[in-house]
Amino acid sequence: MKLKSKVIGILAASVILNGCMSMPLSTMYKMSQFSPLDMEPQDIRIALRTDQSIDVKNGAAKIFMSYSSDGNESLPAFYEEHNFNVQVQQAPITDMPEILLDDLENNERVTILKLSDSDAQLMKGLLAKAKEYKAEDVKGRGEFAISTENNCFGNLNKFESLEVDVFLQAVKEDGYMLFLEDIDVIEEAKDNDIDLQQTNRCEVG
């Protein structure tokens, strides 16, 4: 399953959703005002709200980012893309912001994931390149996307359906926003012909 925020010139974002996904209107507005250039990669967080028996593993969420430009007389044509596997960050519930705990059921829990130090540096370098081209008024095109990986959710065989809420913190000062809600990862797997009995494991360390 994947949600993509396409970023034209890394200036403004427009959101493309699969029909089965639900994004709050408030988040749609925030994303329309969102510029990845404002992000500090080391502060990016993805939070997943799931049933408490689900074992969320490293790689359960991924971030894709790309940037390209035809260049000009002073700057060469450029294209770069990266897939980043976010890693589970241990965080006690007492340290979690209120938005992640609002309406949290007794049988639910929240898992926070972040970029590794090396991936944060890699993303920072790509954003620096985009800023360099923007500063010279060189047109560029970029894409920022978040996806979830079904085979990185352990114990799915216990469920016939499993709804997951996805929260995003893009800028630390702005905190988290509810990015997607009620994503049924099992339904998504079926729609994509994924046999969770065979693939219910994660290959990311």
Side-chain angles (χ1 to χ4, degrees):
M1 81 193 68
K2 182 173 288 189
L3 175 144
K4 291 184 177 181
S5 298
K6 288 192 174 181
V7 185
I8 306 302
I10 311 291
L11 292 175
S14 59
V15 177
I16 299 175
L17 287 173
N18 291 336
C20 60
M21 295 186 180
S22 176
M23 173 177 278
L25 290 175
S26 59
T27 300
M28 289 184 180
Y29 174 76
K30 289 178 182 178
M31 292 303 295
S32 72
Q33 308 298 310
F34 169 65
S35 170
L37 286 180
D38 296 332
M39 295 191 303
E40 289 293 340
Q42 69 272 15
D43 293 332
I44 293 174
R45 298 289 186 273
I46 295 175
L48 303 177
R49 185 156 62 192
T50 66
D51 187 279
Q52 63 182 1
S53 67
I54 292 296
D55 182 19
V56 176
K57 304 175 186 294
N58 291 344
K62 291 184 177 181
I63 297 174
F64 172 82
M65 181 174 283
S66 69
Y67 183 76
S68 64
S69 174
D70 294 332
N72 63 7
E73 296 81 3
S74 59
L75 290 172
F78 174 80
Y79 179 77
E80 188 173 329
E81 68 174 46
H82 298 285
N83 281 291
F84 304 100
N85 290 305
V86 290
Q87 301 180 343
V88 173
Q89 175 190 18
Q90 300 299 328
I93 193 169
T94 53
D95 292 343
M96 290 184 182
E98 185 175 347
I99 187 174
L100 300 183
L101 304 178
D102 283 346
D103 300 320
L104 186 70
E105 302 289 343
N106 291 334
N107 65 330
E108 292 180 326
R109 69 170 177 170
V110 176
T111 304
I112 296 177
L113 305 100
K114 67 173 185 176
L115 291 167
S116 67
D117 291 342
S118 57
D119 276 350
Q121 287 301 314
L122 193 59
M123 183 184 288
K124 189 172 183 177
L126 180 55
L127 290 173
K129 179 69 72 172
K131 291 178 182 179
E132 176 187 2
Y133 278 62
K134 179 178 179 290
E136 296 295 327
D137 293 322
V138 180
K139 291 184 178 180
R141 299 165 297 280
E143 185 175 342
F144 175 81
I146 294 174
S147 64
T148 54
E149 296 297 318
N150 311 76
N151 62 354
C152 292
F153 290 83
N155 302 327
L156 286 181
N157 58 320
K158 298 180 179 179
F159 298 88
E160 293 184 2
S161 65
L162 178 70
E163 292 184 345
V164 176
D165 294 331
V166 180
F167 297 82
L168 170 67
Q169 174 183 280
V171 179
K172 187 175 183 179
E173 290 74 17
D174 294 341
Y176 286 87
M177 68 178 97
L178 177 57
F179 200 57
L180 293 172
E181 59 183 340
D182 299 333
I183 303 170
D184 189 333
V185 295
I186 294 178
E187 180 182 349
E188 287 289 331
K190 291 177 180 177
D191 290 345
N192 290 282
D193 296 323
I194 297 172
D195 184 356
L196 291 175
Q197 298 298 321
Q198 299 297 320
T199 63
N200 187 9
R201 59 189 177 84
C202 188
E203 297 178 356
V204 179

